[in-house]
Amino acid sequence: MTRKTLLATFCLSLAFVFFHNNTYANTQQTAKTISDEKFYTGKLTKNNKEMYYKFKLASKKHVAMYLSEDYIGQWNFELLNGNGEILYKTKTHEESLVYFYKVFVQTLPKGTYYFKITNNHDTYNKKFKTSIRILDYDHKEKENNNSLKKANSIRLNNNYTGSVDSYGQDKSDKVDYYKVKIPGKGRVTVSTSNMLGAEWTTDLLDSKGKIIDASYTIENDSANRKEAYEVSGFTSYTVGLKKGTYYVRIKGQGDEYPNYIFNVKFKKDAYIETEKNDTLKTANTIKIGRTYTGWYSDYADPADWYKFKATKATSHSLNLAIHPQSAIKVLIYNNKNQLVTYNIYENITKKIKHKKMTTKPLSKGTYYIRVEEFYGLPYIPYKLKVTTGR
């Protein structure tokens, strides 16, 4: 073997060792840096019996940590500080399907932290997934807020955390209520955290406690998934509201980490539908030539009503903007609640589609528009504008 061949072989060996160790991240020095709400896949082997992951906190935080589970195998999990000292250790459940996770939460000060994952039994050459979620919130709920009268007052654009025990022994903590004041007409967005092993229903109520809209958060409940379900972010819905006092009601359950995080955000907007406009009698009055935004969901807000005045006998057009992968049904009535015309508009593309619905000449008077979901995802927005002529 020549000197050049020996040198090339040596360099290739060094490269293999370097990339081999970095691929498996099997020391603190080669730990893989992980980011908030992203899922990372790893695998232990008999040659690489441990894996390390690293994350940094710029300030004190509440952190949820996840490690997927297996039907037969069992992984060990250790949380280390920057000096390699063990702060917490646990292991995954046995006889658990792979779409479930071991979840635990710690309050950690500013610093660098490591996950160390090792084999307990029967995990070599099996993939696992791991993730972190930084649980940022501004305020905690104050018990007992289990009724409209006892609702916690909250501020717009702040994160709040709380917990409910809908299926547990504490009968006084089945539901949480919060009160929020909306300063004017505009868009109100309600968002609730999606968490692994947890599901919450978040209802928006009017001042009398009647439901306006609602959402269900996403959880890992699908037995058909081949890999661990990646759940992150928030489930949100937007509605148009007038100035006033409203309530948020949260119910549901969490398995190992029962806390939810939610917020209510507001944006002033004069040209939107305002709830509740679900009947002809409660229809929103709209101006000819103005574009309005509306939202609907098949759960709590299946239809929106609008009314406009035809000031002269002529045809009128309804201009629509339809969200991708959805369909809406539009009906126009006269002031005697008699159907004038209707149509169904579909959009199976990936872009917003514009449609125009034109009536026959209308007599002077008041007319009503009913917009309802024909199919599509919940909380889909749409736009409409009434104009005269064709």
Side-chain angles (χ1 to χ4, degrees):
M1 186 179 289
T2 66
R3 183 178 296 178
K4 287 184 177 179
T5 304
L6 284 170
L7 182 61
T9 303
F10 179 72
C11 290
L12 284 171
S13 299
L14 284 177
F16 173 77
V17 170
F18 176 80
F19 286 108
H20 187 67
N21 285 339
N22 274 272
T23 299
Y24 283 93
N26 53 7
T27 67
Q28 275 188 260
Q29 290 71 32
T30 60
K32 184 177 181 65
T33 300
I34 60 177
S35 301
D36 183 29
E37 293 199 68
K38 291 186 178 180
F39 286 76
Y40 298 85
T41 301
K43 181 173 66 175
L44 301 177
T45 69
K46 289 186 178 181
N47 293 324
N48 292 275
K49 296 183 178 181
E50 54 190 35
M51 286 192 69
Y52 288 82
Y53 295 87
K54 178 174 70 173
F55 66 96
K56 292 183 178 181
L57 298 177
S59 59
K60 182 179 178 181
K61 297 290 182 184
H62 302 271
V63 182
M65 289 157 273
Y66 305 95
L67 180 60
S68 59
E69 298 181 326
D70 185 72
Y71 184 68
I72 298 174
Q74 189 175 43
W75 286 278
N76 297 319
F77 181 100
E78 293 178 356
L79 176 66
L80 313 176
N81 63 16
N83 297 322
E85 299 167 331
I86 298 174
L87 303 178
Y88 180 85
K89 60 182 179 179
T90 186
K91 55 188 176 183
T92 58
H93 295 122
E94 295 182 85
E95 299 183 359
S96 177
L97 295 180
V98 74
Y99 58 87
F100 287 121
Y101 281 80
K102 177 73 177 180
V103 185
F104 59 98
V105 177
Q106 295 284 303
T107 302
L108 301 173
K110 175 183 177 181
T112 300
Y113 298 90
Y114 297 87
F115 294 171
K116 180 182 177 182
I117 299 171
T118 57
N119 172 63
N120 186 288
H121 67 83
D122 298 312
T123 64
Y124 289 136
N125 298 311
K126 290 183 178 180
K127 290 182 180 180
F128 62 80
K129 285 194 175 184
T130 188
S131 182
I132 63 169
R133 182 159 191 187
I134 297 172
L135 305 170
D136 280 331
Y137 59 85
D138 305 295
H139 309 281
K140 288 184 178 181
E141 68 159 322
K142 297 177 181 179
E143 296 288 1
N144 190 350
N145 59 332
N146 61 357
S147 68
L148 212 65
K149 291 183 178 180
K150 297 179 180 179
N152 289 176
S153 293
I154 62 172
R155 297 176 181 176
L156 293 168
N157 307 315
N158 279 226
N159 282 341
Y160 289 81
T161 188
S163 62
V164 289
D165 189 21
S166 295
Y167 303 101
Q169 300 298 317
D170 188 356
K171 295 182 180 181
S172 66
D173 194 23
K174 302 292 185 184
V175 63
D176 290 335
Y177 284 84
Y178 299 88
K179 180 169 67 174
V180 60
K181 291 186 177 181
I182 303 303
K185 183 178 180 180
R187 303 170 182 231
V188 175
T189 302
V190 182
S191 303
T192 310
S193 54
N194 300 315
M195 296 289 289
L196 287 161
E199 182 181 30
W200 294 283
T201 303
T202 306
D203 302 326
L204 179 64
L205 313 175
D206 65 18
S207 59
K208 296 180 180 179
K210 294 182 179 180
I211 191 166
I212 295 173
D213 213 334
S215 69
Y216 296 94
T217 60
I218 302 169
E219 65 165 346
N220 58 322
D221 60 355
S222 174
N224 296 319
R225 295 186 178 270
K226 294 181 180 179
E227 295 185 350
Y229 193 11
E230 299 180 8
V231 173
S232 61
F234 285 74
T235 293
S236 303
Y237 60 89
T238 300
V239 296
L241 295 178
K242 299 175 183 177
K243 179 180 179 180
T245 298
Y246 298 87
Y247 294 86
V248 175
R249 178 175 63 197
I250 299 177
K251 52 189 176 181
Q253 69 169 356
D255 293 340
E256 293 189 62
Y257 182 66
N259 286 50
Y260 54 79
I261 299 171
F262 84 100
N263 61 64
V264 180
K265 295 182 179 180
F266 171 78
K267 182 180 179 181
K268 187 177 180 181
D269 192 339
Y271 300 106
I272 54 169
E273 61 138 341
T274 52
E275 298 291 348
K276 290 185 71 80
N277 61 333
D278 302 337
T279 66
L280 184 143
K281 289 184 178 180
T282 59
N284 290 170
T285 299
I286 59 175
K287 296 178 180 180
I288 291 178
R290 287 285 188 180
T291 299
Y292 292 81
T293 302
W295 300 264
Y296 48 69
S297 71
D298 56 2
Y299 174 65
D301 186 24
D304 296 325
W305 284 82
Y306 303 87
K307 67 178 178 180
F308 68 94
K309 284 189 177 182
T311 56
K312 58 182 178 179
T314 185
S315 298
H316 287 68
S317 294
L318 183 58
N319 301 275
L320 300 161
I322 305 167
H323 197 274
Q325 305 299 317
S326 67
I328 61 175
K329 185 177 182 180
V330 183
L331 307 94
I332 298 178
Y333 297 85
N334 61 22
N335 59 4
K336 295 180 180 179
N337 201 18
Q338 295 171 331
L339 182 65
V340 175
T341 187
Y342 80 96
N343 212 334
I344 295 170
Y345 298 98
E346 295 182 278
N347 182 6
I348 59 174
T349 71
K350 294 181 179 181
K351 296 181 179 180
I352 293 175
K353 184 178 284 188
H354 297 272
K355 293 286 187 179
K356 180 182 283 190
M357 178 180 182
T358 303
T359 71
K360 295 179 180 179
L362 300 177
S363 303
K364 290 183 180 181
T366 301
Y367 292 86
Y368 296 86
I369 302 168
R370 176 185 167 99
V371 179
E372 60 185 62
E373 177 188 16
F374 193 70
Y375 69 74
L377 297 172
Y379 322 119
I380 291 177
Y382 62 88
K383 292 181 183 293
L384 62 83
K385 179 173 69 172
V386 177
T387 57
T388 55
R390 292 183 174 273

